[in-house]
Amino acid sequence: MEKDNKEKVEISKNFIEEIIDEDLKNNVYNGRVVTRFPPEPNGYLHIGHAKSICLNFGLAQKYNGKCHLRFDDTNPTTEDIEYVESIKNDVKWLGFDWGSNLYFAADYFDKLYDYAEQLIKLGKAYVCHLTPEELKEYRGTLTQPGKESPYRQRSVEENLKLFRDMAAGKFKEGECVLRAKIDMASPNMNMRDPILYRIRFVEHYRTGKKWVIYPMYDFAHPLEDYIERITHSICTLEFEDHRPLYDWVLQSLNLKECPKQIEFARLNLSYTVMSKRKLLELVENKYVSGWDDPRLPTIAGLRRRGYTPESIRSFCERVGVAKRDNVVDVALLEHSLREDLNLRAQRVMCVLRPLRLIIDNYPEGRVEELQAVNNPEDPSAGTRPVPFSRELYIEQEDFMEDPPKKFFRLAPGRTVRLRYGYLVTCTNAVKNDKGEITEVHCSYDPDSLSGEAGGPKAKATLHWVSAAHSLPAEVRLYDRLFMSEDPGEGKDDFKADLNPDSLKVLQSCRMEPSLAGAQPGGRAALARVSDRP
Ligand code: ATP
Ligand code: MG
């Protein structure tokens, strides 16, 4: 069933492409296709944003159009330049290019202000002095119509003067607002004379102290799209009920070749929170180490977790574009990464919990360079030398003194293969006075080296490193950040579902010497360790 759906998504066009095709056929925008990705710089981008980025930039590529990167920075309180830089970096890293089309909504504040004056002159906006509590009360409810404001019939001249006074800082915060004059009885609450501008005595990270009034999203967004000559303005489903207002703003100002808003279902992932408010709470209160903590669904976190841009893009492609909200299994995201790294990541050997293994019949002081395959999926990746010697480390869990039936790894009398190396047979184990095993002794078969054909068979192949040549390493093992599919569901606090074991730090690991020059951000798959689900 799931497979059928996926195939359908791949072969047929999605509903947004159908709309664009229709517009192209009818020459609505003179053959232009211009989309935009409009993040608010109030947090780091997450996998949901990646979905929107792939969709918007992807459509531009497909239709030979353009996609703008626009910072939707009309709210001065939460925005910051740090976020602007991280967002640019993440979009680029995902593999998309906005070219010269980088815009900031704050750069349109003058234009937006002029449009607001025009609305006033057209008799379609008024300054309202109701208090915030009264505004709420007058708005009505879903079942009851709202009430008209006593300030609704002010003259154009009076409204213009008052609006200019608002902009000049002559009123206090909350003392008045500019509202659209639409319909207080509309069944759509968004159309009940919504607020267009409010007073905020807050400095803006781009415009400084210039403004003390700031436009509301529903007023600013359609005009930002219009100013940039966007054709298809794609947003998530919560904005469906705002579309009449989006259209009202543009139509009331008699604008031509207006953009059209199209809604699609936002990406939700199981075991994941994506709300910026919740992510900020996790970062600020140090539940995670920062916005780029590998357990977060942020692009920066996924990058540190080892995700490639290709794996994220292929995940977004697989998920497709839906019209109705749904939850995608996080396992699909993880699978996209495995699939990609499987083809590309260099394999290396690293022992997480070392146990010393001594090959008694191997000459002391001798070192052999064995050839290890870099990537079994990709012969062109070649091989690398790994030093082999008399004393090695293997994983503690790969040895059992008294093994149960189904354990095929090392035990007294058992023979296993050391990957890319020899067969070894365990002779005995040494314990300390606490009864813990401190080293195991083996003998090796000098004629058993694994060559092209793999050498004689053993029931298990273990990874290992040479004790003297390996490097000390700290390994951080990350698990899912939340224990429940829908974090916080049925609880007061989503943090109650945090997984206490989401990070394990192992300090005394040993890795093969080829990793000595590894750079931050590099990727390698730990043989046998990374494979485990
Ligand atoms: P907030 O949680 O503060 O409302 P947001 O997640 O909507 O913020 P924005 O910066 O406004 O963040 O988002 C930029 C763009 O990314 C918007 O067009 C939005 O529709 C889209 N987007 C955000 N979250 C998702 C998601 N989970 N799936 C798909 N698109 C998303
Ligand atoms: Mg938003």
Side-chain angles (χ1 to χ4, degrees), residues 40 217 238-239 266 276:
E40 187 179 352
Y217 176 91
E238 331 69 279
F239 292 98
R266 64 170 47 234
K276 280 193 209 163

Side-chain angles (χ1 to χ4, degrees), residues 256-365:
K256 296 282 159 322
E257 245 189 74
C258 292
K260 73 175 51 146
Q261 176 179 302
I262 305 169
E263 307 87 17
F264 76 106
R266 64 170 47 234
L267 172 70
N268 299 305
L269 274 182
S270 60
Y271 295 97
T272 309
V273 301
M274 254 187 276
S275 128
K276 280 193 209 163
R277 182 182 59 75
K278 290 180 183 167
L279 294 175
L280 185 68
E281 190 178 338
L282 293 173
V283 172
E284 284 192 331
N285 298 321
K286 309 232 183 307
Y287 291 97
V288 293
S289 64
W291 283 104
D292 66 350
D293 188 293
R295 290 165 292 179
L296 290 183
T298 52
I299 309 285
L302 294 172
R303 179 162 57 231
R304 266 189 72 197
R305 185 109 185 203
Y307 276 81
T308 57
E310 291 82 356
S311 60
I312 296 179
R313 292 202 305 263
S314 86
F315 167 74
C316 292
E317 187 71 28
R318 273 197 179 125
V319 168
V321 184
K323 265 191 199 175
R324 236 176 276 147
D325 274 323
N326 59 349
V327 178
V328 174
D329 190 340
V330 72
L332 185 65
L333 177 64
E334 294 162 351
H335 170 75
S336 300
L337 177 63
R338 270 174 219 286
E339 195 179 54
D340 187 41
L341 287 188
N342 190 34
L343 297 174
R344 310 201 288 142
Q346 152 129 10
R347 311 307 201 257
V348 293
M349 293 198 283
C350 176
V351 175
L352 299 184
R353 296 171 185 87
L355 172 63
R356 193 173 280 269
L357 179 144
I358 297 160
I359 307 172
D360 294 309
N361 62 340
Y362 194 88
E364 228 158 313

Side-chain angles (χ1 to χ4, degrees), residues 41-42 76 78-85 205:
N42 62 355
T78 52
E79 295 164 1
D80 197 274
I81 191 77
E82 177 197 347
Y83 298 130
V84 170
E85 292 309 317
Y205 80 101

Side-chain angles (χ1 to χ4, degrees), residues 242-254:
H242 297 239
R243 186 171 0 115
L245 182 51
Y246 183 99
D247 293 337
W248 182 91
V249 169
L250 298 171
Q251 279 160 17
S252 300
L253 289 162
N254 297 314

Side-chain angles (χ1 to χ4, degrees), residues 24-79:
L24 286 172
K25 202 173 88 198
N26 299 324
N27 213 20
V28 180
Y29 297 107
N30 280 310
R32 297 184 305 118
V33 175
V34 187
T35 56
R36 85 285 173 265
F37 172 63
E40 187 179 352
N42 62 355
Y44 278 59
L45 296 183
H46 54 59
I47 183 73
H49 294 115
K51 170 76 228 175
S52 173
I53 292 168
C54 291
L55 176 60
N56 280 294
F57 279 93
L59 286 170
Q61 279 169 358
K62 215 171 272 174
Y63 287 94
N64 209 3
K66 284 190 225 157
C67 179
H68 296 184
L69 174 61
R70 178 202 310 147
F71 288 95
D72 200 354
D73 51 4
T74 54
N75 176 6
T77 47
T78 52
E79 295 164 1

